[in-house]
Amino acid sequence: RCPVSGGPGPGPCIGPACAMAVATPGASGGAVAAVPGPAAAPEDDIEPVPFEVADEVGGESGQSRATFFVPKGSAAKLVMQPLQKGGAVFPLQRGKEGEAPKGLAADQEFVYAVFISPRPERTADALARRIARRLADPDGAGAAAGECVVC
């Protein structure tokens, strides 16, 4: 039996200690598969961080820039890993002080992503929810790495 999920095994662990991803056998000897476990919350259950969307000035046709307002001190960690949504990867960039958007509070800083989407507001909202989830759980799956096992 799996020591974490209590399942019969063999198979991926989906116990609460395993955040979202576990190693599973693949064609190349080991791929990573996303397995939503009991700890995974629906996307709509988390309030998005504040954001604004505008056309990317000087960018390619159709590019949008989503700017996300985050607590001061969090931007450096947020930009370390890109966000993923619908199979696309969205690298976050740290905002520069001289480019601060209107409405940025003294206790906030900002990060942004540039992308092309037929519905940029909807895409930005999904990214804002992913950022909020990261802020709520800064260590994410890495925190459970030692407890996650494959049965």
Side-chain angles (χ1 to χ4, degrees):
R1 299 185 68 77
C2 177
V4 179
S5 71
C13 171
I14 57 169
C18 297
M20 286 295 289
V22 296
T24 56
S28 63
V32 174
V35 178
E43 186 97 344
D44 291 336
D45 282 359
I46 192 158
E47 189 69 27
V49 297
F51 67 92
E52 59 185 38
V53 180
D55 292 337
E56 173 67 345
V57 177
E60 295 177 25
S61 176
Q63 280 189 327
S64 298
R65 176 189 284 229
T67 303
F68 305 97
F69 299 80
V70 298
K72 199 169 228 86
S74 62
K77 190 162 186 174
L78 286 170
V79 301
M80 293 173 70
Q81 294 289 328
L83 299 174
Q84 295 183 15
K85 166 72 175 128
V89 177
F90 298 85
L92 290 175
Q93 302 294 317
R94 190 173 186 174
K96 297 179 179 80
E97 282 189 39
E99 301 173 352
K102 291 180 182 179
L104 187 70
D107 63 345
Q108 292 178 320
E109 56 188 336
F110 69 100
V111 295
Y112 65 91
V114 176
F115 55 88
I116 296 175
S117 171
R119 295 180 293 220
E121 286 285 336
R122 188 171 174 180
T123 301
D125 181 73
L127 297 178
R129 290 174 190 280
R130 283 170 170 72
I131 290 171
R133 187 175 313 285
R134 280 194 188 173
L135 292 171
D137 185 14
D139 295 321
E147 300 176 38
C148 197
V149 297
V150 176
C151 302

